[in-house]
Amino acid sequence: MMNTTDGNGGTAAEKRIDVSTAMRRASDQLAELLRCEPGAVSALRATDEGWHADVEVVELERVPDTMSVMASYRVELDADGRLVAYERRHRYARGRIDRR
């Protein structure tokens, strides 16, 4: 990973929020923005600029809940944990299992 100086002698990596905080902020900020029920963070990766997270959210509540529509979003956070970008990667029924 390439470290960049922050102007005060430190690097961006030294100023980065921790993993658990990144997970919580990715989920909370996306849910607030989309006004959806937050789900799980299924992936989290540190980058030179901050974090990339894959966040699952409930987009449409259905009965039974296995028919609810879920979505997986790629979320980009800066080193301070602020959401700077997101995109929906795919949608699926809550009860569906990936077949690979």
Side-chain angles (χ1 to χ4, degrees):
M1 176 187 330
M2 184 177 88
N3 291 329
T4 57
T5 303
D6 68 2
N8 296 321
T11 64
E14 291 170 349
K15 303 291 185 183
R16 183 190 326 266
I17 59 172
D18 63 38
V19 171
S20 61
T21 301
M23 289 177 70
R24 200 169 37 257
R25 289 188 183 174
S27 179
D28 292 349
Q29 290 179 77
L30 182 66
E32 182 179 334
L33 183 65
L34 300 177
R35 301 196 187 283
C36 292
E37 178 186 329
V41 175
S42 58
L44 183 68
R45 179 174 56 90
T47 67
D48 289 342
E49 296 80 28
W51 298 93
H52 280 171
D54 291 342
V55 180
E56 314 302 315
V57 299
V58 179
E59 285 199 332
L60 295 171
E61 289 277 352
R62 297 271 169 86
V63 176
D65 69 349
T66 56
M67 296 305 297
S68 292
V69 177
M70 304 289 293
S72 181
Y73 283 83
R74 171 67 46 90
V75 175
E76 184 179 329
L77 302 176
D78 65 13
D80 295 322
R82 289 184 298 262
L83 190 145
V84 294
Y86 73 94
E87 68 175 311
R88 183 169 60 198
R89 307 286 287 198
H90 67 278
R91 296 174 85 189
Y92 58 95
R94 176 178 262 166
R96 194 187 94 209
I97 297 173
D98 285 341
R99 292 189 174 99
R100 293 183 186 196

